[in-house]
């Protein structure tokens, strides 16, 4: 495993940096905490989990072992938490299980990164394992496919919302299931509370998507998502990648996978998959088209020395990796945590691309933050590192407006929590509303949202204010 030797130490001042003239202010020495992003977790940390105490490094770094031991189903989870988590917490998880819209699936790697001394507040636990005590009422304006991905889909599993780019969903499974998934309408198995739309691996369905892409000369950019491209067989990675690169007007493709964040072992041990991605990327370079990986780290604790080995491997193969983060309460909604995440992504050569305001998703209201939190964090993070490693903070406007820069609202009423966006190049003339979670509002505003008439009035007032604001320009 990579060790501290790989961690660059800050340069010591030499004679060449002579004492500054009196009129220049001396920069105070750097505090160790400011270099925390270089301090990645290494060693055999998984052995602290009783069930993994005898797992060797070789085994732990084998993606097949990680997949085989990915935990789903409450029996397995209970078994692992036995002797590790307090009884009250385990009961809380059991109740959470039956109330959640997503099935639970988490890798041994992630499970080992959870701080089991305080699982309730752990950012990784928060993302993957629901607890009943934290669940709160959904906002009354919330719907299951809040982004209208299905309404903007000309063929099943292809969303064409923006002019020159489309989102292709070749499958509906993932190596883990995230509680906050925007696509909980499709991803994973049916749960007690949601029956899913089906998007199975199907080369026949894919061909319909490719035919549509061929018929639309304006399309230049395809996101291959899912589900998760990690779960595509290597031959499907190559078939889809090469098929898309062969379409003359396609200039850019990206494989979207959370895998790098939840199971970096695949990059280190699934040679056929890695080689398939590499061949697509190399072919892309030959025909002057971009092939990238987009991944999904949300908290600095998810970036370890194992992640570094995986991102180094991709870097050596010339594959650009970008990151999309979802802003989540208790996971990364503090300024310091987000700055640390952004700096740590830079440390492992991953470009921080987006931070998304949490979508309006059923059953995870506890994870949403107000828009104001997003705006404040953005202000804090910008300026802390290279501009190209600084993410754009966006709101994916409910109703199909697409991603909007968070500060670009037409109107934001901090009392009712209603923000209004427009998207002139996506849906000209329309306005889109986003709603802060009820837990971020005052008691009075919360009471108003319970009243159907007042609810309608609050929305209409916000839309009117937005139109007036637009009219003034
Ligand atoms: C996010 C997204 C894309 C890609 O958008 P970028 O801003 O280029 O990352 C394409 N289509 C849909 C439907 C999307 O949600
Ligand atoms: S990996 Fe992505 S698509 Fe899969 S459950 Fe998580 S957020 Fe959803």
């Amino acid at each position: 495993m990579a060790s501290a030797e790989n961690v660059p130490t800050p340069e010591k001042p030499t004679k060449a940096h002579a004492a500054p003239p009196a009129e220049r202010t001396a920069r105070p020495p750097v505090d160790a905490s400011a270099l925390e992003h270089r301090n990645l977790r290494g060693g055999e940390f998984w052995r602290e989990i009783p069930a993994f105490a005898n797992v060797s490094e070789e085994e732990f770094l084998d993606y097949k072992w990680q997949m085989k031991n990915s935990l789903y189903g409450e029996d397995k989870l209970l078994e692992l938490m036995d002797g590790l988590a307090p009884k009250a917490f385990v009961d809380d998880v059991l109740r959470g299980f039956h109330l959640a819209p997503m099935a639970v699936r988490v890798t041994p790697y992630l499970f080992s990164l959870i701080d089991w001394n305080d699982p309730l507040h752990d950012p990784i636990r928060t993302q993957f394992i629901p607890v009943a005590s934290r669940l709160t009422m959904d906002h009354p304006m919330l719907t299951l496919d809040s982004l209208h991905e299905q309404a903007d889909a000309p063929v099943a599993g292809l969303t064409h919302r923006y002019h020159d780019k489309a989102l292709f969903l070749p499958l509906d499974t993932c190596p883990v299931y995230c509680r906050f998934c925007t696509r909980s309408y499709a991803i994973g198995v049916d749960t007690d509370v949601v029956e899913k739309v089906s998007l199975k691996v199907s080369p026949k369905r894919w061909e319909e998507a490719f035919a549509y892409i061929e018929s639309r000369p304006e399309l230049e950019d395809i996101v291959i998502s899912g589900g998760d491209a990690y779960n595509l067989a290597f031959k499907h990675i190559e078939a889809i990648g090469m098929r898309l690169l062969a379409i003359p007007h396609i200039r850019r493709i990206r494989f979207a996978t959370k895998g790098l964040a939840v199971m970096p072992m695949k990059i280190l041990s699934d040679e056929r998959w890695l080689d398939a991605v590499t061949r697509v990327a190399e072919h892309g370079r030959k025909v002057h088209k971009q092939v990238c990986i987009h991944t999904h780290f949300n908290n600095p604790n998810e970036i370890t020395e194992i992640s570094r080995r995986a991102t180094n491997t991709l870097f050596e193969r010339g594959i650009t990796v970008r990151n999309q983060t979802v802003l989540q309460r208790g996971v990364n909604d503090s300024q310091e945590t987000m700055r640390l995440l952004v700096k740590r992504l830079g440390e492992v050569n991953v470009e921080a691309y987006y931070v998304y305001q949490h979508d309006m998703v059923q059953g995870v209201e506890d994870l949403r933050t107000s828009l104001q939190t997003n705006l404040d964090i953005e202000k804090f993070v910008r300026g802390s590192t290279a501009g190209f490693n600084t993410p754009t903070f966006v709101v994916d406007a409910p109703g199909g407006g697409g991603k909007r820069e968070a500060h670009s609202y037409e109107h934001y009423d901090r009392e009712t929590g209603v923000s209004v966006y427009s998207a002139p190049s996506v849906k000209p003339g329309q306005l889109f509303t986003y709603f802060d979670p009820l837990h971020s509002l005052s008691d009075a505003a919360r009471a108003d949202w319970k009243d159907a008439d007042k609810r309608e009035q609050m929305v209409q007032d916000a839309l009117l204010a937005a139109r007036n604001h637009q009219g003034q320009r």
Side-chain angles (χ1 to χ4, degrees):
M1 192 161 299
S3 67
E5 294 156 20
N6 292 349
V7 180
T9 42
E11 262 181 61
K12 292 218 176 64
T14 60
K15 285 260 164 56
H17 300 116
E23 68 270 19
R24 270 194 277 152
T25 37
R27 218 178 161 84
V30 69
D31 189 77
S33 68
L35 304 178
E36 177 55 22
H37 60 283
R38 300 177 189 165
N39 194 9
L40 307 191
R41 190 152 178 203
E44 301 192 338
F45 54 83
W46 58 89
R47 290 190 190 257
E48 290 166 28
I49 308 296
F52 305 144
N54 296 319
V55 176
S56 68
E57 173 166 341
E58 195 189 343
E59 222 171 1
F60 197 76
L61 292 188
D62 179 357
Y63 82 101
K64 286 204 204 103
W65 185 88
Q66 290 286 333
M67 299 226 294
K68 200 170 74 207
N69 292 284
S70 282
L71 328 152
Y72 40 134
E74 72 184 61
D75 294 349
K76 183 74 186 168
L77 199 58
L78 276 182
E79 192 186 310
L80 280 164
M81 288 192 300
D82 189 39
L84 195 60
K87 167 97 172 59
F89 176 80
V90 175
D91 289 343
D92 207 1
V93 170
L94 282 186
R95 280 180 295 127
F97 241 88
H98 298 281
L99 299 170
M102 287 296 279
V104 172
R105 179 164 188 178
V106 57
T107 54
Y109 169 67
L110 281 183
F111 190 87
S112 309
L113 290 174
I114 293 172
D115 174 6
W116 288 101
N117 293 319
D118 186 13
L120 193 60
H121 299 105
D122 183 87
I124 297 177
R125 192 290 301 159
T126 302
Q127 296 174 70
F128 297 98
I129 305 175
V131 292
S133 64
R134 287 290 157 118
L135 298 179
T136 59
M137 209 179 57
D138 283 343
H139 195 285
M141 303 304 284
L142 186 149
T143 57
L144 193 53
D145 173 17
S146 83
L147 301 183
H148 281 213
E149 285 191 345
Q150 297 183 82
D152 281 334
V155 300
L158 188 85
T159 299
H160 185 188
R161 167 171 308 142
Y162 300 94
H163 183 71
D164 74 349
K165 57 194 176 186
L167 174 67
F168 174 41
L169 310 176
L171 79 172
D172 60 8
T173 63
C174 301
V176 291
Y177 295 133
C178 315
R179 287 185 54 216
F180 49 89
C181 184
T182 305
R183 302 199 187 107
S184 55
Y185 65 80
I187 303 302
V189 292
D190 290 347
T191 65
D192 290 357
V193 289
V194 182
E195 236 179 88
K196 313 274 169 170
V197 174
S198 172
L199 294 172
K200 298 280 169 267
V201 167
S202 158
K204 195 163 147 277
R205 175 174 65 82
W206 300 348
E207 199 43 55
E208 283 169 34
F210 301 145
Y212 174 83
I213 294 168
E214 275 171 329
S215 78
R216 303 298 317 195
E218 73 273 36
L219 280 176
E220 298 179 352
D221 183 343
I222 306 296
V223 182
I224 304 154
S225 182
D228 192 301
Y230 241 45
N231 280 18
L232 281 172
F234 76 94
K235 55 179 198 288
H236 286 150
I237 288 280
E238 195 155 0
I240 291 171
M242 297 299 188
R243 177 76 174 82
L244 289 172
L245 289 176
I247 299 175
H249 50 262
I250 293 302
R251 306 286 316 145
R252 299 171 284 280
I253 64 172
R254 357 175 176 163
F255 290 104
T257 172
K258 192 168 171 63
L260 198 52
V262 302
M263 202 205 295
M265 294 79 187
K266 190 172 172 92
I267 303 294
L268 303 176
S269 56
D270 188 351
E271 276 163 36
R272 290 185 311 180
W273 192 89
L274 180 64
D275 287 347
V277 173
T278 307
R279 278 195 296 276
V280 175
E282 274 170 1
H283 181 68
R285 276 198 294 278
K286 268 192 207 113
V287 296
H288 311 124
K289 299 185 178 192
Q290 278 187 32
V291 178
C292 300
I293 290 183
H294 278 211
T295 194
H296 184 179
F297 289 97
N298 287 323
N299 180 276
N301 295 355
E302 295 158 17
I303 306 177
T304 64
E305 287 294 352
I306 303 175
S307 326
R308 192 205 291 275
R309 286 176 58 175
T311 56
N312 280 352
T313 302
L314 293 167
F315 195 73
E316 284 164 20
R317 291 179 179 225
I319 300 172
T320 298
V321 182
R322 303 196 187 98
N323 187 69
Q324 308 187 178
T325 293
V326 178
L327 179 60
Q328 293 164 82
R329 189 159 72 127
V331 173
N332 53 20
D333 66 336
S334 89
Q335 301 178 342
E336 285 75 17
T337 303
M338 189 62 83
R339 183 172 63 184
L340 182 59
L341 173 64
V342 165
K343 299 260 306 179
R344 196 164 274 178
L345 287 166
E347 171 71 16
V348 298
N349 289 315
V350 174
E351 296 172 12
Y353 177 39
Y354 279 141
V355 174
Y356 288 87
Q357 178 72 11
H358 198 301
D359 290 328
M360 309 231 350
V361 181
Q362 212 182 41
V364 287
E365 210 47 11
D366 58 308
L367 294 180
R368 293 206 298 132
T369 69
S370 66
L371 175 62
Q372 189 61 47
T373 302
N374 180 323
L375 304 177
D376 293 341
I377 293 177
E378 196 279 343
K379 191 174 287 185
F380 184 79
V381 168
R382 185 159 300 278
S384 62
T385 191
F388 52 76
N389 274 344
T390 304
T392 304
F393 287 66
V394 294
V395 177
D396 207 342
K403 302 169 188 74
R404 310 308 304 162
E405 198 273 320
H407 279 95
S408 72
Y409 51 80
E410 304 295 338
H411 176 72
Y412 179 23
D413 184 332
R414 287 158 177 84
E415 177 58 23
T416 61
V418 185
S419 47
V420 185
Y421 288 87
S422 65
S425 289
V426 186
K427 304 259 162 83
Q430 281 190 44
L431 291 174
F432 302 89
T433 43
Y434 180 84
F435 302 92
D436 286 350
L438 297 181
H439 59 69
S440 70
L441 303 179
S442 68
D443 288 345
R446 251 203 306 271
D448 284 354
W449 280 109
K450 294 212 176 91
D451 180 323
D453 291 336
K454 287 193 179 148
R455 200 181 290 168
E456 181 59 21
Q457 194 59 48
M458 288 187 280
V459 176
Q460 290 311 322
D461 287 350
L463 290 172
L464 185 65
R467 291 226 163 76
N468 286 339
H469 173 71
Q470 286 182 315
Q472 283 157 14
R473 284 193 306 234

